[in-house]
PDB file of all heavy atoms in Angstrom:
ATOM      1  N   ASN A 118       9.115 -25.253  30.076  1.00 96.00           N
ATOM      2  CA  ASN A 118       8.959 -26.055  28.858  1.00 96.00           C
ATOM      3  C   ASN A 118       8.698 -25.124  27.671  1.00 96.00           C
ATOM      4  O   ASN A 118       7.584 -24.625  27.508  1.00 96.00           O
ATOM      5  CB  ASN A 118       7.814 -27.065  29.056  1.00 96.00           C
ATOM      6  CG  ASN A 118       7.443 -27.785  27.766  1.00 96.00           C
ATOM      7  OD1 ASN A 118       8.211 -27.812  26.803  1.00 96.00           O
ATOM      8  ND2 ASN A 118       6.265 -28.360  27.748  1.00 96.00           N
ATOM      9  N   ILE A 144     -13.159 -23.059   5.513  1.00 98.00           N
ATOM     10  CA  ILE A 144     -13.098 -24.213   6.415  1.00 98.00           C
ATOM     11  C   ILE A 144     -11.712 -24.233   7.045  1.00 98.00           C
ATOM     12  O   ILE A 144     -10.726 -23.981   6.350  1.00 98.00           O
ATOM     13  CB  ILE A 144     -13.334 -25.528   5.635  1.00 98.00           C
ATOM     14  CG1 ILE A 144     -14.690 -25.489   4.912  1.00 98.00           C
ATOM     15  CG2 ILE A 144     -13.269 -26.742   6.558  1.00 98.00           C
ATOM     16  CD1 ILE A 144     -14.981 -26.736   4.088  1.00 98.00           C
ATOM     17  N   LEU A 149      -5.154 -29.918  15.958  1.00 98.00           N
ATOM     18  CA  LEU A 149      -4.928 -28.714  16.761  1.00 98.00           C
ATOM     19  C   LEU A 149      -4.356 -29.069  18.133  1.00 98.00           C
ATOM     20  O   LEU A 149      -4.050 -28.179  18.932  1.00 98.00           O
ATOM     21  CB  LEU A 149      -6.222 -27.907  16.885  1.00 98.00           C
ATOM     22  CG  LEU A 149      -6.900 -27.580  15.538  1.00 98.00           C
ATOM     23  CD1 LEU A 149      -8.129 -26.704  15.759  1.00 98.00           C
ATOM     24  CD2 LEU A 149      -5.929 -26.900  14.568  1.00 98.00           C
ATOM     25  N   ALA A 231     -21.530 -22.887   7.683  1.00 98.00           N
ATOM     26  CA  ALA A 231     -21.783 -23.926   8.698  1.00 98.00           C
ATOM     27  C   ALA A 231     -23.167 -24.564   8.549  1.00 98.00           C
ATOM     28  O   ALA A 231     -23.303 -25.783   8.731  1.00 98.00           O
ATOM     29  CB  ALA A 231     -21.592 -23.347  10.101  1.00 98.00           C
TER      30      ALA A 231
END
Side-chain angles (χ1 to χ4, degrees):
Chain A
N118 171 18
I144 302 178
L149 307 183

